[in-house]
Amino acid sequence: MSNASDTAMTRAPAGLSVMDATMVLVGVVIGIGIFGFPPLVAQHAGSEAAYIALWCAGGFVMLIGALCYGELGSAYPGAGGEYLYLTRAWGQRVGLMFAWARCTVIQTGAIAVVAYIYGDYAQRLVPLGPQGPALHAAISVVALTALNVAGTRYSKRLQWTFTMLTLAALAAVLIASLSATGDSPLRSGAVTPLAGNPAGLMGMGMVFVLLTYGGWNEAAYLSGELRDPARNMSRVLLTGTAIVTGAYVLINLALLEIFGLQGLRDTPALGADVMQLAAGPYAAALLSLTICATALSTINGTIITGARVYCALGRDVPRLSALAAWSTRNDAPAAALLVQGAITLALVALGAFSQNSVQTLVAYTAPVFWIFMLLVAISVVRLRRLDPGRPRPFRVPLYPLPPVLLALTCAGLVYSSAVYAGAGALIGLAVLAAGLPMLRLLKLEPAPG
């Protein structure tokens, strides 16, 4: 593993300028979540000030997280990401547990969440009855999994096009929000007080905020290709964080002006509602169609990257070697895609039996995700001690403060998402725990001693 990483480090071309890397980071972070998660954040914020504070805090966490990933990525570039960092810092057992969690909880849960965001908007365009969002979500998973099994190469080329559509849709909502301010019929003045521990509610609100900011860990893959990373990496992260945070705070201030806090809590498809208010039903339908396209792009991209994790697990574990099978006819990891699709459909079904599908699926993934993010944060400190001679073109400034702050934040999010998220969190943790005997059964780890 180290030899491959060393080779990758010496061969990585340094072709990205500060602006190139900044635009990549912004393009990865700003995604479909901004059209689905604000109502869920509002449901956990007791006031409009607390709501905006959560979005500002999310930008700060994005920055310290990206700083930590920037150091790890510059020291250990190449394929693997968190799997590589965790294996180096904590050993093969922890790395393989992460692979299990990513295959059964994190990646499949992320696909199901975005599929339900797609379903909420698709239901506006093509109603399919009371379970319409769930049906649309299931259809999208089946169709895109089949597309990838067929080996359609054009799907990868569409990702950047749909990213631009996402930014265009975000700009349209912001412009429509500004033009629709004033006496908005969507605005609800009376705010229902929230029941529960305020700190726990804010913690769950932060879970949804950070899902919207998701993608900042891609900084790990920018540092290996950035020109003069020791000087420029901090510029990329500071500039990218400022752009993303500014965009999210502006759009949420506009949404509060239109809906009010209570109105925002109650809307299932905020983008369509804003466009209908500002420009009529045809504009709302057009925006819903655009958001559906961007959601399908996100689902497709996540299916592509997720299947590769199954392949890696199949290559590392002889008893799971079937997952590594690659169809030479279609140039696709067919077995991995089918297993991933089956698990995702089971999660879509779980969401269909809950009152709030997206919230249930986020609860399923969140505690497991933040447990491993906590371990990644501590890995920055641990790897400096275990591997002090390793070249680190970019080093976290103010070390060890950023990794410590990230670790404490992750610990709080593990607690909030496990305690306040309900049954979905317990199911996710149970699936993670099931990996322990499963790994031993498959002989993925040696016996103690």
Side-chain angles (χ1 to χ4, degrees):
M1 182 179 296
S2 60
N3 291 338
S5 299
D6 293 339
T7 301
M9 182 171 64
T10 58
R11 294 182 181 178
L16 290 178
S17 67
V18 170
M19 186 57 65
D20 292 335
T22 299
M23 289 300 100
V24 171
L25 182 60
V26 171
V28 168
V29 173
I30 296 181
I32 196 65
I34 191 61
F35 299 107
F37 292 130
L40 297 175
V41 178
Q43 290 168 17
H44 293 84
S47 66
E48 293 187 356
Y51 177 78
I52 294 299
L54 282 171
W55 290 99
C56 293
F60 176 72
V61 174
M62 172 188 166
L63 176 60
I64 62 172
L67 289 171
C68 294
Y69 270 77
E71 173 168 323
L72 292 170
S74 69
Y76 306 101
E82 292 97 336
Y83 177 81
L84 173 61
Y85 312 147
L86 292 170
T87 300
R88 283 183 173 273
W90 307 104
Q92 186 185 28
R93 299 177 184 183
V94 173
L96 289 171
M97 276 300 294
F98 171 76
W100 164 264
R102 187 170 174 84
C103 289
T104 59
V105 179
I106 298 172
Q107 193 82 0
T108 46
I111 297 171
V113 167
V114 179
Y116 264 105
I117 294 175
Y118 162 79
D120 284 335
Y121 280 90
Q123 176 74 355
R124 293 286 188 102
L125 299 172
V126 183
L128 295 179
Q131 291 295 332
L135 291 173
H136 280 294
I139 290 169
S140 70
V141 171
V142 171
L144 290 174
T145 298
L147 181 72
N148 281 278
V149 169
T152 304
R153 299 175 182 177
Y154 300 106
S155 60
K156 297 180 182 179
R157 301 176 185 176
L158 294 176
Q159 297 305 310
W160 275 107
T161 302
F162 284 127
T163 296
M164 298 307 297
L165 282 175
T166 302
L167 294 175
L170 186 63
V173 171
L174 180 58
I175 294 170
S177 300
L178 294 174
S179 65
T181 54
D183 296 328
S184 169
L186 300 176
R187 185 176 179 88
S188 176
V191 179
T192 303
L194 298 177
N197 183 293
L201 290 169
M202 290 288 281
M204 269 307 297
M206 182 61 79
V207 169
F208 293 113
V209 166
L210 291 175
L211 278 170
T212 316
Y213 279 97
W216 47 260
N217 52 320
E218 296 301 315
Y221 304 100
L222 297 178
S223 54
E225 301 179 44
L226 184 66
R227 300 170 192 161
D228 193 5
R231 185 182 69 168
N232 290 333
M233 194 65 196
S234 58
R235 297 180 182 180
V236 170
L237 297 177
L238 287 170
T239 305
T241 300
I243 292 172
V244 172
T245 305
Y248 280 173
V249 169
L250 281 175
I251 193 70
N252 281 288
L253 284 171
L255 292 175
L256 284 177
E257 185 67 23
I258 293 295
F259 293 97
L261 186 63
Q262 187 60 45
L264 190 54
R265 290 175 182 173
D266 296 335
T267 181
L270 58 89
D273 287 340
V274 170
M275 290 300 289
Q276 181 158 338
L277 175 64
Y282 293 107
L286 180 61
L287 184 70
S288 293
L289 187 62
T290 302
I291 293 174
C292 285
T294 59
L296 290 173
S297 171
T298 301
I299 297 168
N300 184 58
T302 311
I303 286 174
I304 291 171
T305 58
R308 273 61 183 174
V309 177
Y310 290 81
C311 287
L313 193 59
R315 286 193 299 267
D316 291 345
V317 183
R319 292 195 180 186
L320 296 178
S321 59
L323 293 176
W326 200 280
S327 172
T328 55
R329 177 182 177 184
N330 298 327
D331 192 26
L337 286 164
L338 291 173
V339 172
Q340 177 179 256
I343 296 173
T344 304
L345 286 176
L347 296 180
V348 169
L350 172 66
F353 290 101
S354 62
Q355 186 174 1
N356 189 317
S357 304
V358 173
Q359 187 162 336
T360 297
L361 291 169
V362 169
Y364 173 78
T365 62
V368 176
F369 173 82
W370 289 111
I371 285 171
F372 286 104
M373 186 66 71
L374 170 62
L375 290 174
V376 171
I378 305 173
S379 295
V380 177
V381 178
R382 184 169 174 83
L383 286 171
R384 280 207 185 188
R385 294 179 179 177
L386 292 177
D387 198 5
R390 184 79 175 187
R392 288 172 170 80
F394 173 74
R395 288 176 172 265
V396 174
L398 303 178
Y399 177 85
L401 189 58
V404 170
L405 286 175
L406 181 60
L408 291 174
T409 301
C410 292
L413 292 170
V414 170
Y415 177 79
S416 295
S417 56
V419 173
Y420 296 96
L426 298 178
I427 296 173
L429 290 170
V431 172
L432 175 63
L436 293 170
M438 182 67 69
L439 295 182
R440 189 169 299 280
L441 178 66
L442 296 172
K443 296 183 180 179
L444 296 184
E445 61 178 12

